[in-house]
Amino acid sequence: MATSPRQLPYAPTPYSYLPNPALTARINLDEEVKLSTTAAERDLYDSLAEVYSIIITLDGLEKAYIRDSIPENEYTELCNRLLNQYKSILKDETVSREFADLETFKSKWDIECPRATERLRVNLPATIAEPTANHTGTSNNAPHSRPSASGSQILLATENFITFLDALRLNMLSKDSLHPLLSEVIQSVNQVTTVDFENRGKIISWLIRLNGMKATEELGEEEARQLTFDMEGAQTQGRQKFFPMIGSGIVGTTAAAISNYRIRVQRLADVKIGGCRVTEYMSCVTTPHLIAPSQRLSSTHEQSSRKLRSSLTMSFDSIPVLDLSLAQDAKTKPIFLQSLRSALLEVGFLYIKNTGISDELVEEVITQGKAFFSIPNAKKMEVQMKNAPSFLGYNVLGNEVTAFKTDWREQIDLSTPHPLPKSTDPIYYNLLAPNQWPDPNLLPSFRPTFESYISQMSTLSTSFTSLIAEALALPSTAFDRFFDKDQQHKLKIVKYPDLSTLPADQQCQQGVGPHKDSMLTSYLLQASHHRGLQAQNLKGEWIDCAPRPGTLVVAIGQGLEALTHGVCASTTHRVLSPAAGQGARFSIPFFQGVSYDATFESVDVPQEILDIKDEVLRKQGERRVDDVEFTFRKGEWKHLGEATLTNRVRSHPDVGERWYPEILRRVREEQARERDEKAKAAVDGGKVTGSMSGLTGTRKEIAV
């Protein structure tokens, strides 16, 4: 029997066709087809693949939970982990831009995953968003009630409600401020009861609304008012549901929790918040079902303030926003000072809004600042920094060093005006000098604009320092003795070019390397829409500090950390260069000065504040991952001016070479030792360390 011919894997070439070798494509079937040509593209595709796998995995996890194939606690842990990984990956701006949104991504890659879609929309595990009394299926006569909740659980739920409402009153309206707090509210309520009440659904709806926002996006005034109304209603309805369940037995169940709470707040017993002493809270929480709602609300403001503070730990993942106008009202000033204390002790970085600086002046400062970089290079070089020993003037692109690497920025440094020092003055008095102003024929409004801005910022920084003192339970004048009558403050106007304009062999992302500001406080005006500024938390993670219209970014300096025994945290930060094609980034930081004659004495910080700082350090394991060592080491300098001058030489070696060769020689010797120590530490698998107030970190250059 004849067999049919073997079918070829593809259609044969017609006999009449003769291949032309000159036109035939040469394909190596063994050659790998690459999806990307650069490391950046490869990272992008890897990240998108991770997102894809998270969505698929999450959908499978939801199905397993519905089928009772996984215990409730394991589901909750895994779901939270997947949700956090999803959010973490999409924080990357490049990945987020390519991802677009969930529906677009699903359509592009032809996936459905409806259960994962809903879970990502809610951004909470089903066990939290829709709790059940007993998911595992054991019998329960009251399927929507929990066993008797403990007093500490009720206390926590109450605290979380009030903390969230206080955040709204402080105008903390961004997603990164509200979403974590609202998640804590619903989780703590679920620990108390699964009894449904009308406004529980509204809490979930608001979580979904916040989850759909960008991290720095804020609720509008009407939405904030509606959210406050809904949360107050949820608090009232929730109290009616879960307080009666407990009955009079709450007194016994909360005894231990209240005892521990008394110990924690004893040091703050005399502080008044919202017209109520902290000690009054004790009488309220022991029998909360007997206290009128309004009385209980007002009496727990201090507890909620402490909760707000604890939510801003130094392992922060966002930067707090403080409304400076609250400090002008006697009714709201106490809670503002509590929030400021939190930022000082635990973050060291914050936004302030409603600063009192007019929008018109800010816009003119930005306009004039950008205009400076458009004048001819020859005119900029007329005011070059190395023309004078004051470190004031123009610095060309790539001429400053931080962390042993080049900073890819150009800038001009200005200060409050001072006459030239006398020949008999200390050498660090060279830092006090007249400004080098650009040609007024080219920029007629430049000098008056910046003189006005520096003057107003000087007033603002002095006022804010007084608030810092009050936040630390010090007299408002506590830091006054560290200022000169004609105190010098400084300002930079900085341009960070995007990577496409840098030399091909120098496309480093370092706009300015990891550093800490040297003096008391600094106030950054982000003068363009670009991201790039980042602060380092205790885990060593870099947190974006995106531009927010109408705000200044406040960074705590090492001088303030030194004067407060390490209580105020000076946070390491850096700036990344804009990506190719994004255009230049502009910023205008103002640096509050301290008397160069100041010695390294400290203010007498109250013991209660030191205790709070100790508590913060204990929570952190008394260790912080930090890329910059403390600059002002006691015993090394007699006056702050000496340390400041040395750091300026360190950052600007060209100025040091011309005016301070002996200081530059010592700096380079020290840098050589540091490199050797760093290399040895790398070989040993260790880390070069330095210490101040129990803080450790690798020594790097300080960009003053």
Side-chain angles (χ1 to χ4, degrees), residues 15 30 60 71 198 264 372 398 479 508 534 600 662:
Y15 296 112
D30 295 325
E198 180 183 351
R264 293 201 310 272
F372 170 78
F479 297 109
C508 169
Q534 295 181 325
F600 289 85
E662 181 58 28

Side-chain angles (χ1 to χ4, degrees), residues 68-112:
D68 257 352
S69 301
I70 184 172
E72 185 173 308
N73 59 337
E74 289 185 22
Y75 162 80
T76 303
E77 180 183 354
L78 289 172
C79 187
N80 272 323
R81 186 184 306 167
L82 290 170
L83 292 173
N84 289 335
Q85 290 171 344
Y86 177 83
K87 289 186 292 185
S88 178
I89 293 172
L90 292 181
K91 281 182 179 179
D92 186 286
E93 193 170 342
T94 304
V95 178
S96 179
R97 185 166 52 249
E98 182 68 22
F99 178 80
D101 58 67
L102 182 57
E103 292 303 323
T104 302
F105 185 83
K106 286 165 50 184
S107 174
K108 180 176 181 179
W109 298 104
D110 194 25
I111 55 177
E112 294 293 335

Side-chain angles (χ1 to χ4, degrees), residues 53-71:
S53 65
I54 287 171
I55 295 172
I56 299 297
T57 305
L58 185 57
D59 201 64
L61 180 64
E62 291 295 308
K63 292 177 182 177
Y65 175 71
I66 292 171
R67 295 168 184 163
D68 257 352
S69 301
I70 184 172

Side-chain angles (χ1 to χ4, degrees), residues 400-407 409 510-516 573 628 650-651 700-704:
E400 187 173 1
V401 175
T402 304
F404 301 113
K405 294 181 181 179
T406 299
D407 292 332
R409 61 177 181 172
Q510 177 164 305
V512 59
H515 68 284
K516 297 177 180 180
H573 51 286
V628 177
R650 183 186 294 269
S651 295
K700 290 193 176 181
E701 305 268 13
I702 305 300
V704 180

Side-chain angles (χ1 to χ4, degrees), residues 539-553:
K539 297 178 182 177
E541 300 167 335
W542 290 101
I543 308 303
D544 279 338
C545 193
R548 299 173 68 102
T551 67
L552 296 171
V553 179

